[in-house]
Amino acid sequence: MSNPRVAIIGATGAVGRIALQILEERGFAMDSLRLTASHRSLGKAMTYKGEEIIIEATTPKLLAECDLAFVSANDDISLEIGVLGPQQGCVVIDDSGVWRMDPSVPLVVPEINADDVGGHKGLLAIPNCSTTPLAMTLAALGANNPVKRVIASTYQSVSGTGAAALAELNTQAAQVLAGEPITAEAYPHQIAFNVLPHIGSLKEDGYYSEEVKMRQETQKILHQPNIAISTTCVRVPVPICHSETVNIEFERPVSPVEARKLLAEFPGITVIDDPANSEYPMPINAAGTDATYVGRIRQDSSHPNGLVLWIVSDNLRKGAATNAIQIAEEIVKQRAWLR
Ligand code: A2P
C-alpha cells in the first residue's frame, strides 16, 4: 500500500511550521510533501528531514497531486480549499473555524471521537485550540457521570492569533521597557503587560465568537448538545499555551481523588497536581509538548456535584498541528482517503 502524498497549506505560519516539525517527529510516512504559502513566500525554502522544500502556490493541480492537505492559513483560504481539495481528490484537514459546525464535516479529537473520521466526505476539521483541552477533560471525567454544566475562563496565548501577533508581543514588550510609543496591530489594544477579555467578533448575545466556538464545538465533539456551557475567553501576554479554569457540574458527586484517576487514565492527559509543593501545569513547561495538562483539581465549594480544575495545553501542537496529524494518522489507519 502506498503512503499519502501530503501538502501543508500555510506552511510558513505559526501552526504550519509546527506541523512540518511534527510530521518529522512522528515519522509520518508520506510519498511526497508539498508546502504552500502566500505569494510573499513563493520560492523560499523550508527544511524537512534535512532537505529543502520550495514553497509553492496553492493550485488545483497541486491539490490533485496530493491525498491529504493540512490547511492553516486564513478563513478565505479555508473556505476555498475546503471545497477545491475534495473536488481534486485531496482530503482536507482544516484548522479554521469556517467548517467546524457544518453537519457534514467531522470535528475530531482522536482521543474522543476517532470513529467520526470514517464518515468524512473529503473535509474534516480540528477544533479551536481552546476547545480541544476542555473537550478532552470533559470526556475523561464524564464517561460514567454525565456533565451537566461547565463554566470556563481561558488565558490564551498570542500565538493563537498567528505569527504576526507573536512578533508583536515581543516588539511591544521591548517598546514598553524602552519607554517608547506602542504599535498595536494584531489586537484592538496593547497586549504586552495587559490582558484582553476579547477574542473574535462580538455576537448579539454579548459573547465573542471564540466563546461561542468553545461551547458549540465541545457539544459537537462530545455528541452532547445539551451540556450547558458558558465561557469567557481572555488573551494574555503569553507566547505559547492556552490555560483554562473550569468549573464542572456533574449528575452525581465526584471526588478529586477519583477525578485525578480518571484524568490520568485518559490518553493524552497528564495530571500535575501537587499544589502544596507549588506543582501545577504552567505554559512555560507545557510549551513544545503534546499532552493536555490538568491540575488544581478540587471540590467546587459552590456545588456538591462540582469540581474545579486548571488546564494547560500547547495551542500550536495539541490545539492545532498535533491534533491535525493525529487525524491524518487515523485516516491512514482507516484507509479513509479518497483515492
Ligand atoms: P505567508 O507567510 O507567505 O504570509 P499565521 O497563522 O501565523 O498568520 O500564518 C498564516 C499562514 O497562511 C502563512 O503561512 C501565510 O503565508 C499563509 N497564507 C496567507 N495567504 C495565503 C494564500 N493566499 N495561500 C496560501 N497560504 C497563505
Side-chain angles (χ1 to χ4, degrees):
M1 190 176 88
S2 61
N3 298 311
R5 298 163 298 169
V6 174
I8 302 177
I9 313 297
T12 54
V15 172
R17 286 177 182 280
I18 300 291
L20 185 63
Q21 196 180 309
I22 294 173
L23 284 172
E24 184 165 344
E25 276 173 25
R26 293 175 83 95
F28 187 89
M30 298 176 271
D31 279 359
S32 60
L33 176 61
R34 313 279 287 272
L35 305 178
T36 83
S38 80
H39 64 277
R40 290 179 293 275
S41 305
L42 298 186
K44 291 183 187 161
M46 296 180 78
T47 305
Y48 177 76
K49 288 193 174 170
E51 292 195 10
E52 290 202 330
I53 302 180
I54 303 295
I55 311 245
E56 303 175 70
T58 317
T59 61
K61 181 168 178 292
L62 180 140
L63 292 167
E65 291 167 358
C66 292
D67 302 300
L68 287 175
F70 301 104
V71 181
S72 185
N74 59 47
D75 287 357
D76 290 341
I77 301 287
S78 285
L79 280 169
E80 187 188 335
I81 306 302
V83 176
L84 191 58
Q87 278 173 358
Q88 299 298 322
C90 177
V91 177
V92 171
I93 303 173
D94 187 66
D95 177 33
S96 79
V98 299
W99 295 110
R100 292 179 188 139
M101 295 312 296
D102 184 319
S104 70
V105 176
L107 178 64
V108 181
V109 178
E111 292 88 342
I112 303 173
N113 61 337
D115 288 350
D116 289 349
V117 166
H120 79 78
K121 297 182 173 56
L123 173 60
L124 305 97
I126 66 166
N128 183 276
C129 38
S130 48
T131 302
T132 301
L134 175 64
M136 286 176 67
T137 303
L138 298 180
L141 294 173
N144 296 311
N145 186 1
V147 173
K148 290 180 66 178
R149 183 173 184 231
V150 176
I151 312 283
S153 299
T154 69
Y155 309 74
Q156 296 183 222
S157 70
V158 295
S159 57
T161 314
L166 192 53
E168 184 161 303
L169 171 62
N170 292 331
T171 306
Q172 285 184 356
Q175 288 169 329
V176 172
L177 294 174
E180 293 170 0
I182 301 298
T183 45
E185 285 171 12
Y187 305 107
H189 306 280
Q190 171 185 328
I191 184 65
F193 303 99
N194 197 12
V195 297
L196 305 175
H198 174 179
I199 303 185
S201 56
L202 189 62
K203 301 296 167 192
E204 280 175 9
D205 57 4
Y207 284 87
Y208 281 110
S209 54
E210 185 90 345
E211 296 159 348
V212 177
K213 286 180 195 173
M214 267 185 91
R215 179 177 76 234
Q216 293 179 337
E217 294 172 16
T218 301
Q219 292 167 336
K220 177 170 175 175
I221 296 160
L222 296 175
H223 299 170
Q224 293 178 57
N226 296 326
I227 297 183
I229 303 179
S230 178
T231 63
T232 302
C233 292
V234 180
R235 188 73 65 191
V236 296
V238 166
I240 296 174
C241 283
H242 292 352
S243 307
E244 307 178 7
T245 53
V246 187
N247 294 58
I248 310 168
E249 179 191 333
F250 298 88
E251 235 169 63
R252 301 183 302 280
V254 53
S255 73
V257 172
E258 174 71 0
R260 276 182 210 108
K261 182 167 174 289
L262 291 170
L263 289 161
E265 285 170 359
F266 195 83
I269 292 183
T270 298
V271 174
I272 302 176
D273 198 15
D274 186 5
N277 288 308
S278 306
E279 287 188 16
Y280 28 70
M282 290 188 291
I284 53 169
N285 299 327
T289 72
D290 283 323
T292 291
Y293 298 91
V294 187
R296 299 289 324 278
I297 301 160
R298 58 205 192 274
Q299 170 79 49
D300 184 337
S301 57
S302 72
H303 199 288
N305 296 359
L307 282 181
V308 197
L309 44 80
W310 169 251
I311 309 173
V312 179
S313 150
D314 184 323
N315 53 296
L316 300 177
R317 292 184 65 103
K318 185 55 187 167
T322 301
N323 199 68
I325 291 164
Q326 286 176 306
I327 291 173
E329 289 168 349
E330 205 51 54
I331 289 172
V332 171
K333 193 165 104 191
Q334 298 183 19
R335 194 66 178 85
W337 72 72
L338 296 173
R339 295 190 178 90

